Amino acid sequence: MQKESAHFSFGNETEIEDIGGGLKRQMLGYNDELMAVKIWFEKGAIGYNHAHRHSQVTYVVEGEFHFNIDGVTKILRAGDSCYMPPHADHGATCPTGGILIDTFSPPREDFLGE
């Protein structure tokens, strides 16, 4: 599996993967230290609570998201962001439909098929 993405990524040329449950994912760029991913949520879609070893910062591009991080829920809208430390239990619901940019360090190996 490739350990580094191309230097440039064009939205209309980069694969958008349907990951089920009203969610789609597009890889934006990565190497062995960092990964950025665009995620589309359909109206009412749920990113179920989970935890992983990666640090994560999420930026809300559009829509309204109800984020739960370690039992605390906040409503985030376009321009807002949140940080999930390693092993924090987290998830989000999207009552409006929306778009997120997720960044991970180190990269999510499972997103690369590793």
Side-chain angles (χ1 to χ4, degrees):
M1 185 61 60
Q2 185 178 1
K3 295 290 185 188
E4 184 174 88
S5 66
H7 291 165
F8 298 96
S9 175
F10 299 94
N12 62 346
E13 298 175 4
T14 304
E15 176 186 4
I16 298 172
E17 177 185 7
D18 187 337
I19 56 176
L23 302 173
K24 294 182 180 175
R25 173 173 65 210
Q26 184 179 47
M27 304 301 291
L28 301 179
Y30 61 90
N31 66 10
D32 61 354
E33 296 178 8
L34 179 67
M35 172 181 280
V37 181
K38 187 174 187 177
I39 308 284
W40 287 264
F41 280 66
E42 292 179 3
K43 183 178 181 178
I46 299 171
Y48 290 98
N49 273 39
H50 63 287
H52 45 72
R53 69 182 186 91
H54 313 83
S55 295
Q56 177 178 344
V57 174
T58 296
Y59 174 80
V60 179
V61 176
E62 66 181 49
E64 176 181 295
F65 291 84
H66 298 202
F67 267 91
N68 177 334
I69 303 172
D70 280 338
V72 176
T73 300
K74 299 285 184 181
I75 296 174
L76 279 70
R77 296 180 178 86
D80 296 336
S81 61
C82 57
Y83 164 68
M84 283 72 71
H87 309 289
D89 186 57
H90 62 281
T93 59
C94 186
T96 62
I99 300 172
L100 300 175
I101 303 295
D102 285 337
T103 56
F104 302 97
S105 180
R108 293 283 304 265
E109 303 86 353
D110 52 326
F111 288 9
L112 298 172
E114 296 180 5

